[in-house]
Amino acid sequence: MIGEVLVNRYEILEKIGDGGMALVYSAKDHLLNRVVAVKVLRDQFAHDEQFVERFRREARSAASLSHPNIVNIYDVGETGLNHFIVMEYVQGNNLHDLIRKQGQFSQGFIVNVGKQIAMGLAHAHYHGIIHRDIKPHNILITEEGRVKVTDFGIAQAMSATNLTQTGMVLGSVHYFSPEQARGVNVQASSDLYSLGIVLYEMITGQQPFRADSAIAIALKQIQESPAPLRNFASDLDGELEDLIFRL
C-alpha cells in the first residue's frame, strides 16, 4: 500500500505496526498537512461482514473518547476493499519494547505510567467502554513521557457480554482477567486487573503467569497467585506492592 492515497487525502508512507486484525501505516494527511496513523483491515477479513462490523465498532467506540491519555481517532472510511481508521500519530515507543530494552524502571516512572493508564481507562469506563486488551503493546509513551492507550479494537459497551466472536478468543491470555479466562461477563475491573499485570511486568520484567499453552496460562489466572514482588525487588515500596496486588 505504500504510496497509495486513500480517499484523495491520506498518502500511505510506511508500515509502522501490525496486529491480528489490521496493519498500521504512517500517512500524510494532505488536507490538514500533518502525519497520521492509518489502521487498515487485513485483506483476508475484508470479505467477512462480522470482522468488518467489529472494525467499524472499534472506530465508533474509540472516536467517542477524548482524553490526553487515549490515542485520538480522526476519521474512518473505506475505499474499495480497504476499510480504515485514521488515528493520532504518536512518536515514541510502546511499553513492551521499553520493558525488553530497559528491563527495570524506577518506582517513580512505574507510578507515573500506571497513573496515566488509569486516567485514560477511567475516562473510557465512564463512557461505558471496556478496553479488554490492556497490555504493554497497547501502551504508547511519547518522547515527552505522555502515556497513550491505543487499540480499542476489542472495546465494547459495558452492556455487551460476548467475549468471543467468529470463534476467536479475543485479547492476550497473559493479561487476561480470571473472568475473561472463564469466558464470562467482563466489567471495568477486568481492565484494572490487566493494568496490575502490566505494572507487575514493569517491576519484574516478566508476566506473573507463564506456561506452554494459552489454556494453561488461563488456568493459572483462575487458580494461582503470582509470586511476591519482593522476590524481584527487595526495596519495593510496600504501598506500591499492595496496590499492584489489589489490582
Side-chain angles (χ1 to χ4, degrees), residues 19 34 50 79-80 85 129 132 136 153 157 165 172 195 207 214 229:
R34 64 182 177 184
Q50 287 182 300
T79 173
I85 298 171
I129 295 172
R132 292 175 174 260
Q165 297 169 19
S172 299
L195 171 58
Q207 302 100 350
L229 284 166

Side-chain angles (χ1 to χ4, degrees), residues 207-241:
Q207 302 100 350
F209 302 106
R210 294 179 297 165
D212 294 333
S213 70
I215 293 175
I217 294 170
L219 288 173
K220 287 191 173 189
Q221 297 280 17
I222 296 169
Q223 300 171 352
E224 297 185 10
S225 298
L229 284 166
R230 294 297 180 91
N231 292 359
F232 304 90
S234 58
D235 60 343
L236 185 67
D237 180 84
E239 290 187 355
L240 177 58
E241 182 177 30

